[in-house]
Amino acid sequence: MLDAFLPFSLKLDPIAIAGSCLWSLALYLGLSSAREWIIEKLDRWFNFAERSLYTSVEEFEKTRRARESQNAFYASLFSIVPFLTLGGLCNWGVEIGLGRSWAVSVGILACIAGGVYELGRRDGLG
């Protein structure tokens, strides 16, 4: 299907994509403090970058709440990128160490462990 749009051949390995996404989800759930830190820093950077686009303080303050909410959404969305990178590296490590057949299985186990950890962490907070 992509061959109709692209002038070159693009081969995507579905097993590698699935394993990387599973590892990314596991890391996203398991590293909650890092996730919150990344979201906070991205939100701060988006707000700073957008502030430089306005020349008048009145215009900036007029739509501040809506823009800060939008930037928080974008920060949450873009916080996935580092975890996708780390998930790809973890998947690659498992493929090298245990073989291709184990990559998705270990990713599923990591997701379960990360989910159980996150549930326990949230239960301990409240």
Side-chain angles (χ1 to χ4, degrees), residues 43-103:
D43 187 31
R44 183 182 300 169
W45 186 80
F46 285 151
N47 287 332
F48 173 75
E50 192 167 30
R51 173 63 184 109
S52 66
L53 298 174
Y54 289 88
T55 56
S56 71
V57 176
E58 296 83 23
E59 184 66 29
F60 175 73
E61 292 296 330
K62 190 169 147 184
T63 59
R64 183 178 192 148
R65 288 190 61 195
R67 284 182 291 98
E68 285 181 350
S69 297
Q70 183 180 14
N71 288 339
F73 171 73
Y74 287 148
S76 178
L77 193 64
F78 285 118
S79 70
I80 299 169
V81 173
F83 292 101
L84 283 172
T85 305
L86 288 175
L89 289 173
C90 288
N91 185 59
W92 179 70
V94 170
E95 280 186 7
I96 295 228
L98 298 175
R100 266 186 89 99
S101 63
W102 282 92

